[in-house]
């Protein structure tokens, strides 16, 4: 007996078996879910696949890859978004940290070459192991700060270079030492040695780039009020740079520290410092608007006049 074709005639519309949607292999074969009625040999129906199996089965063409969590940067952080995450802490790193006290002792040696060797070794250790407990970090920076006033200019210069290289690795961890570190760096900005001044300026800029500006504003304002003549101009410029950002996040810090520093220099007679302070006042007006004027009410009449002269250009803009 002749068996009729399983596909039927072209004009016959085949009903679609719902199970075919779940079984991709059956759908591609073109087999109908209903066997032809005229066939004496009924086609066996495909075994249904449990829903639990289908739900747990991964796609056949490519397994789904789990995405790695992205590192988030806080809004008030000055760290660039492209800064890579530090490597995980390992046993070898813990072993390296055991050498840190001995390396710090090298920085107190009477031999300048040993102090130089200690600086190089500390740099290598920090770059390979940025996870340093706070107590050890404070001790390390206490020794480094002493070398920022080293009697040997080579050691002093090398210490500034080391700090410039390790600030990016340490990031916000440096904040625990900022009260002693910033004044020492600013003192180097006023050095009579041009190379030391240049390296100190680079170190401060690197510190700004890898730390929250809000944690720097108090020390920067203090150095503006109490620093030497050579460093005041540079610190005024750096304070002008970070003030708008800090005001958006923590305006009370600007009111408490930056305004008194700027007002204290309204009677400044040295041209470079006076010009830098005028730029700071103008930046404050652009940031705070007319509310800045309210904080001048406690100033004397002569200082208020100097203030109005300083902001006249931006006030009328």
């Amino acid at each position: 007996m002749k068996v009729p074709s399983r596909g039927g005639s072209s004009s016959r519309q085949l009903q679609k078996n719902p199970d075919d949607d779940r079984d991709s292999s059956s759908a591609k074969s073109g087999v109908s879910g209903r066997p032809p009625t005229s066939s004496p040999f009924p086609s066996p129906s495909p075994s249904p696949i449990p829903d639990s199996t289908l739900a747990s089965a991964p796609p056949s063409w490519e397994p789904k890859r789990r995405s790695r969590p992205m590192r988030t940067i806080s809004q008030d952080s000055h760290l660039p978004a492209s800064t890579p995450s530090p490597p995980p802490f390992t046993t070898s790193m813990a072993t390296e940290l055991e050498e840190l006290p001995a390396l710090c002792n090298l920085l107190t040696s009477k031999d300048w070459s040993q102090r130089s060797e200690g600086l190089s070794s500390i740099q290598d250790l920090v770059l390979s192991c940025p996870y340093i407990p706070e107590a050890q970090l404070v001790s390390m920076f206490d020794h480094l700060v002493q070398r920022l006033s080293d009697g040997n200019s080579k050691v002093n210069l090398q210490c500034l270079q080391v700090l410039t290289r390790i600030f990016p690795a340490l990031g916000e961890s440096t904040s625990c030492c900022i009260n002693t570190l910033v004044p020492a760096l600013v003192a180097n900005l006023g050095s009579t040695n041009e190379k030391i001044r240049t390296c100190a300026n680079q170190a401060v800029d690197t510190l700004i780039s890898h730390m929250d500006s809000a944690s720097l504003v108090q020390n920067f304002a203090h150095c503006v009020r109490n620093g030497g003549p050579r460093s005041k101009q540079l610190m005024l410029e750096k304070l002008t740079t970070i003030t708008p950002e800090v005001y958006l996040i923590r305006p009370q810090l600007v009111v408490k520290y930056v305004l008194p520093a700027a007002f204290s220099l309204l009677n400044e007679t040295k041209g470079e410092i006076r010009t830098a302070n005028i730029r700071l006042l103008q930046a404050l007006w652009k940031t705070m608007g007319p509310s800045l004027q309210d904080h001048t009410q406690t100033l004397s009449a002569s200082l208020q006049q100097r203030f109005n002269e300083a902001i006249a250009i931006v006030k009328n803009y």
Side-chain angles (χ1 to χ4, degrees), residues 122-275:
I122 286 178
Q123 173 183 305
D124 294 340
L125 185 148
V126 172
L127 294 180
S128 63
C129 179
Y131 292 107
I132 302 179
E134 182 173 332
Q136 290 180 279
L137 195 64
V138 170
S139 176
M140 183 189 78
F141 271 108
D142 286 343
H143 286 83
L144 290 174
V145 165
Q146 293 178 8
R147 301 284 64 81
L148 289 177
S149 58
D150 197 288
N152 189 301
S153 60
K154 293 182 179 179
V155 176
N156 191 344
L157 187 62
Q158 183 184 359
C159 185
L160 289 168
Q161 294 169 343
V162 168
L163 289 172
T164 303
R165 295 182 184 118
I166 67 175
F167 282 156
L170 294 174
E172 292 294 329
S173 300
T174 314
S175 60
C176 65
C177 315
I178 210 70
N179 291 336
T180 57
L181 183 60
V182 169
L185 287 171
V186 173
N188 279 256
L189 288 175
S191 173
T192 56
N193 188 315
E194 182 179 357
K195 291 183 179 180
I196 290 179
R197 288 200 306 271
T198 302
C199 284
N201 193 36
Q202 293 174 351
V204 174
D205 287 341
T206 305
L207 184 66
I208 294 173
S209 299
H210 294 86
M211 279 200 64
D212 178 9
S213 297
S215 62
L216 298 173
V217 67
Q218 179 180 355
N219 285 280
F220 279 21
H222 176 79
C223 291
V224 164
R225 300 187 68 174
N226 302 286
R230 293 185 179 181
S231 63
K232 276 188 178 183
Q233 177 192 351
L234 289 174
M235 294 310 298
L236 279 167
E237 293 173 356
K238 299 182 190 308
L239 196 59
T240 302
T241 301
I242 68 174
T243 292
E245 176 187 356
V246 175
Y247 187 79
L248 292 176
I249 303 168
R250 300 182 64 183
Q252 68 276 14
L253 292 179
V254 174
V255 173
K256 185 176 181 179
Y257 298 112
V258 180
L259 296 190
F263 293 160
S264 67
L265 296 177
L266 284 171
N267 277 330
E268 180 62 47
T269 57
K270 294 184 178 180
E272 294 179 348
I273 298 177
R274 182 179 180 182
T275 300

